[in-house]
């Protein structure tokens, strides 16, 4: 019954996506290029060749729309563009750019497909392509799921190549030479006589011609920057403390805000703010959704006033005690809560003997706690909303802020910033929505809202708690059977529920990192159970794999130990994915695994972080 239900759900999901991408929207919409957001507002003599490259008489600007939360996304994107554009690092400026459909992330769309990374069949590849097309149609702009490189690798190199060849064409027409006789180097077109014409001197000429299309990309053997040691573009500023984050920004006339919000997300029953109102620097105290806001002349005074409010919260809609959350998870291992069974190879029940290895693992809620406190600077006027913050889903943020202030989504201007960490927290919109609600009540005045650390922990949507019940069996020194039952709240269901959207089908993030593990175990089953009625949750680092990846690798170690096998050699025997096997072999060689002098050794194998490789280049 459960297996049939799973197949039906998977078939429905795949079929619905195919219909949406291939019929309802049509091939034309998938192939059509979105509007270039750089085309509006170009200055005299400035040229844009695509949404990622802009050149005028003063400088070259590369647009790097993937959010930089410390992972080096800006440098990565700029490197890909500079590779084909023949720029040296340091010859250009970078900007995050405005949110736009042109910056859709096709690789991120593949996170929700129920196919293993090793599945290169027609159905799997077709579904990936279809969902990628759907992401393009709806303009899904986002940073997450280790997808930034996979999304950017071909796209940005092609953008750089287009700009390069268009600049060459402009130079050829201006100087009366054949384009085939021109080369490029270090931000300049080189004429046949060796004269170097800087790109900035060709901007006006390039702006008058149509960009060259369908430029072949260079072979890997010709790369100058990709795969070579380079210094990250932000390393000097970060090392010297001169990089500006959102929390560093100041605007004229700005006020500072702090909040007291219900840790139960239940609203205020009663409050007394008289002591806070009389504190030095306090401008105002007023109710907002789910709590109270304080305006003051600096952050510290706003914090102190927020702490001074005497408030009683309404009861929560979910259990208040941690023990009750665990009880809810334990109660989820039933057919009624079965969400997926995406892996069911062989005959697990017959393969498990009475003395099979059995264990129960747990992972707790985990807060994000990025180094830079969650904050947003917002200015609301009748005509628009300006937001300065760091965020991973810019277009979603525009929609959520517009819903708070009553503006249209296009009237919300996001000035995205470098982030001092995220771990998934900046996929959420709540902290910006709070700032927008406060700023909406004092229109015209910029409001810088910062969460106190206590508020950050209380308002965080944590990584789900979860539980695994495992059974494994061995024979002749080898792992022959592995069964994992995993229960946790649905992170995807919780996240999209906050956006007012329904959850379409099961959440494959609950068992992510376990069901799709690169192991060809003869008898292998992974079942996932969705736990209802506990705290709202979100993604944390690798979403489901941060829990389920630990479950399978920790328990597999126990089963391998019971078999008396070497933890590395048995994994290599079981591994059915060349990329994973090659990685393990390389690390084994680097660590001198077979050295008898190594008295304490083990395998910590976060293989799921290699999932971005699934998108073919």
């Amino acid at each position: 019954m459960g297996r049939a239900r799973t197949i039906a759900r998977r078939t429905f999901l795949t079929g619905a996506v195919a219909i949406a991408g291939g019929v309802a929207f049509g091939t034309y919409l998938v192939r059509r290029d979105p509007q270039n957001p750089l085309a509006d507002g170009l200055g005299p003599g400035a040229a844009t060749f695509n949404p990622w490259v802009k050149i005028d008489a003063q400088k070259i600007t590369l647009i790097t729309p993937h959010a930089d939360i410390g992972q080096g996304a800006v440098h990565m994107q700029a490197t890909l563009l500079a590779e084909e554009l023949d720029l040296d690092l340091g010859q250009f400026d970078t900007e995050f750019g405005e949110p736009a459909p042109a910056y859709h992330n096709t690789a991120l769309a593949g996170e929700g497909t129920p196919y293993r990374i090793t599945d290169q069949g027609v159905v799997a590849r077709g579904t990936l392509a279809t969902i990628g097309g759907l992401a393009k149609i709806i303009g899904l702009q986002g940073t997450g799921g280790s997808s930034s490189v996979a999304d950017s690798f071909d796209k940005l190199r092609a953008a750089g190549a287009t700009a390069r060849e268009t600049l060459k064409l402009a130079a050829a027409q201006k100087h009366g030479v054949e384009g085939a006789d021109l080369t490029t180097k270090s931000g300049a077109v080189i004429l046949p006589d060796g004269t170097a014409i800087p790109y900035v001197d060709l901007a006006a000429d390039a702006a008058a011609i149509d960009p060259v299309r369908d430029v072949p990309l260079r072979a890997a053997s010709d790369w100058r920057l990709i795969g070579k040691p380079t210094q990250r573009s932000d390393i000097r500023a970060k090392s010297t403390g001169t990089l500006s984050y959102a929390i560093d920004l100041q605007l004229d006339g700005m006020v500072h805000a702090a909040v007291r919000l219900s840790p139960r997300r239940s609203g205020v029953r009663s409050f007394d703010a008289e002591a806070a109102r009389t504190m030095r620097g306090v401008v105002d105290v007023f109710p907002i959704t789910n709590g109270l806001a304080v305006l003051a002349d600096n952050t510290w005074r706003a914090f102190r006033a927020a702490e001074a409010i005497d408030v009683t919260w309404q009861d929560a809609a979910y259990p208040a005690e941690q023990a009750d959350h665990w009880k809810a998870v334990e109660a989820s291992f039933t057919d009624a809560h079965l969400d997926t069974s995406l892996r069911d190879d062989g005959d697990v029940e017959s393969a498990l003997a009475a003395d099979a290895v059995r264990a129960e693992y747990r992972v707790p809620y985990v807060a994000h706690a990025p180094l830079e406190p969650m904050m947003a600077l917002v200015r609301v006027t009748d005509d628009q909303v300006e937001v300065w913050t760091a965020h991973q889903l810019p277009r979603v943020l525009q929609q959520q802020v517009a819903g708070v202030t009553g503006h249209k989504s296009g009237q919300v201007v996001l000035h995205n910033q470098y982030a001092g960490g995220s771990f998934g927290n900046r996929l959420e919109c709540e902290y910006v929505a709070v700032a927008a609600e406060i700023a909406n009540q004092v229109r015209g005045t910029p409001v810088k809202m910062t969460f106190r650390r206590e508020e950050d922990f209380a308002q965080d949507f944590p990584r789900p708690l979860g539980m695994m019940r495992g059974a494994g069996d061995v024979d002749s020194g080898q792992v022959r059977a592995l069964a994992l039952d995993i229960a946790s709240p649905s992170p995807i269901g919780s996240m999209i529920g906050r956006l007012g959207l329904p959850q379409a089908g099961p959440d494959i993030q609950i068992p992510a990192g376990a069901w799709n593990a690169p192991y060809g175990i003869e008898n292998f089953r992974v079942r996932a159970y969705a736990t209802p009625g506990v705290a709202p949750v979100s993604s944390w680092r690798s979403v489901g794999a941060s829990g389920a990846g630990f479950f399978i690798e920790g328990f597999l170690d126990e089963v391998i130990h019971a078999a008396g096998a070497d933890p590395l050699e048995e994994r290599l025997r079981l591994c059915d994915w060349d990329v994973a096997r090659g990685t393990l072999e390389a690390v084994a060689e680097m660590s001198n695994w077979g050295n008898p002098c190594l008295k304490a050794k083990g395998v910590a194998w976060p293989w799921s972080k290699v999932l971005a490789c699934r998108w073919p280049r």
Side-chain angles (χ1 to χ4, degrees):
M1 180 67 179
R3 180 65 172 164
R5 177 175 176 230
T6 300
I7 293 174
R9 282 186 170 187
R10 183 192 295 193
T11 304
F12 173 79
L13 176 63
T14 304
V17 169
I19 292 172
V23 179
F25 291 104
T27 303
Y28 167 72
L29 287 178
V30 175
R31 293 180 176 177
R32 184 183 63 183
D33 289 333
Q35 181 179 351
N36 181 356
L38 304 180
D40 294 333
L42 275 179
T48 178
F49 313 90
N50 48 62
W52 296 274
V53 181
K54 179 174 62 175
I55 301 177
D56 59 27
Q58 284 73 46
K59 64 181 180 179
I60 301 167
T61 303
L62 305 182
I63 307 302
T64 56
H66 279 292
D68 197 306
I69 52 181
Q71 83 283 38
V74 165
H75 180 75
M76 176 274 293
Q77 294 168 92
T79 298
L80 293 174
L81 288 163
E83 180 67 71
E84 289 281 351
L85 191 45
D86 273 335
L87 292 173
D88 296 332
L89 298 179
Q91 282 192 306
F92 50 82
D93 291 346
T94 62
E95 295 178 3
F96 287 107
E98 64 180 79
Y103 303 124
H104 60 273
N105 184 342
T106 54
L108 182 61
E111 281 285 290
T113 58
Y115 302 104
R116 293 183 63 203
I117 194 170
T118 55
D119 190 344
Q120 294 297 311
V122 173
V123 174
R125 293 174 67 87
T127 303
L128 285 170
T130 301
I131 294 181
L134 183 58
K136 180 178 180 179
I137 292 169
I138 66 176
L140 176 62
Q141 181 180 353
T143 303
S146 299
S147 65
S148 294
V149 174
D151 175 63
S152 303
F153 194 75
D154 288 340
K155 187 187 300 182
L156 298 197
R157 287 190 298 139
T162 293
R164 181 193 74 230
E165 292 304 308
T166 306
L167 288 162
K168 287 171 63 179
L169 178 60
Q173 293 179 355
K174 183 174 184 179
H175 294 275
V177 297
E178 293 293 328
D181 295 331
L182 301 179
T183 58
T184 52
K185 182 179 180 181
S186 299
V189 176
I190 312 300
L191 300 181
D193 64 2
T195 302
I197 312 297
Y199 290 163
V200 293
D201 293 345
L202 292 166
D205 301 288
I209 61 177
D210 292 331
V212 177
R213 302 291 183 184
D214 301 321
V215 181
L217 300 180
R218 290 171 174 168
S221 58
D222 296 327
W223 289 344
R224 304 169 299 110
L225 302 173
I226 299 174
K228 308 296 192 297
T230 59
Q231 179 173 288
R232 264 175 53 169
S233 56
D234 59 0
I235 194 65
R236 183 183 299 274
K238 284 186 173 179
S239 299
T240 57
T242 56
L243 184 69
S244 179
Y245 295 89
I247 202 167
D248 299 315
L249 299 179
Q250 302 285 331
L251 294 181
D252 292 341
M254 181 178 75
V255 296
H256 297 262
V259 293
R260 283 286 299 278
L261 301 176
S262 170
R264 306 168 186 171
R265 306 185 185 280
S266 56
V268 177
R269 177 168 292 161
S270 63
F271 73 95
D272 182 353
E274 290 308 308
R277 295 180 191 277
T278 61
M279 296 177 71
R280 181 183 177 188
V282 172
V283 176
D284 200 0
V285 180
F286 51 83
I288 58 173
T289 302
N290 198 42
L292 300 142
V294 175
L295 298 182
D297 58 3
N298 67 37
T299 301
W300 177 245
R301 289 170 181 166
F303 282 0
R304 293 295 302 275
E307 293 169 356
I309 299 174
D310 183 11
V311 58
T312 301
W313 307 112
Q314 294 181 4
D315 293 336
Y318 51 84
E321 299 298 326
Q322 176 79 39
D324 293 326
H325 290 237
W326 283 119
K327 289 179 181 178
V329 175
E330 291 174 335
S332 300
F333 291 100
T334 67
D335 288 343
H337 294 106
L338 180 63
D339 200 51
T340 63
S341 182
L342 295 174
R343 194 72 177 268
D344 195 356
D345 302 338
D347 187 348
V348 172
E349 292 301 331
S350 297
L352 290 174
D355 60 348
V357 180
R358 299 183 185 273
E360 181 177 282
Y361 283 30
R362 298 186 179 198
V363 292
Y365 289 120
V366 177
H368 294 89
L371 184 61
E372 179 190 12
M374 305 306 291
M375 58 75 55
L377 174 55
V378 181
R379 177 167 53 200
V380 180
T381 65
D382 292 343
D383 298 326
Q384 71 173 11
V385 184
E386 286 187 278
V387 179
W388 291 263
T389 193
H391 205 268
Q392 295 170 244
L393 294 172
R395 300 192 69 221
V396 172
L397 180 65
Q398 287 178 306
Q399 296 168 357
Q400 294 297 299
V401 169
V404 171
T405 63
H407 292 73
K408 295 180 180 179
S409 179
Q411 293 177 294
V412 178
V413 180
L414 171 62
H415 306 282
N416 221 345
Q417 306 289 314
Y418 276 93
S422 172
F423 314 114
N425 210 5
R426 299 181 194 277
L427 290 166
E428 298 290 345
C429 298
E430 301 297 307
Y431 66 101
V432 186
V434 169
E437 183 177 354
I438 297 170
N440 198 42
Q441 298 198 40
V442 289
R443 288 195 170 194
T445 300
V447 175
K448 186 176 186 178
M449 190 285 303
T450 308
F451 274 174
R452 299 172 299 141
R453 282 298 183 193
E454 297 88 342
E455 204 67 55
D456 186 11
F457 274 83
Q459 298 307 313
D460 190 24
F461 298 102
R463 190 274 303 273
L465 81 171
M467 182 182 299
M468 182 278 294
R469 290 174 176 168
D473 218 332
V474 301
D475 182 48
S476 303
Q478 295 181 337
V479 177
R480 296 299 186 186
L482 196 69
L484 307 180
D485 286 351
I486 299 171
S488 87
S490 166
I492 302 303
S494 187
M495 291 172 69
I496 68 172
R498 288 190 285 280
L499 300 179
L501 300 174
Q503 182 176 352
D507 185 355
I508 65 173
Q509 285 300 327
I510 294 174
W515 80 268
N516 50 353
Y519 298 126
I521 301 171
E522 182 179 352
N523 303 286
F524 187 16
R525 184 184 67 209
V526 179
R527 295 186 295 207
Y529 300 83
T531 301
V534 291
V537 292
S538 183
S539 64
W540 183 84
R541 300 287 291 171
S542 54
V543 198
S546 68
F550 161 68
F551 290 154
I552 187 169
E553 292 301 327
F555 185 58
L556 183 59
D557 259 346
E558 290 199 50
V559 180
I560 291 174
H561 180 74
D566 178 272
L568 176 64
E569 294 301 325
E570 182 64 357
R571 278 181 170 84
L572 288 173
R573 185 188 72 82
L574 295 171
C575 192
D576 62 358
W577 183 33
D578 291 342
V579 174
R581 184 185 299 106
T583 304
L584 279 174
E585 290 172 340
V587 175
E589 182 178 354
M590 292 167 61
S591 61
N592 199 13
W593 178 266
N595 188 343
C597 294
L598 293 176
K599 301 301 182 184
K601 58 185 182 181
V603 179
W605 178 220
W607 71 270
S608 58
K609 298 306 292 180
V610 193
L611 279 175
C613 296
R614 80 168 300 157
W615 277 82
R617 294 169 178 168

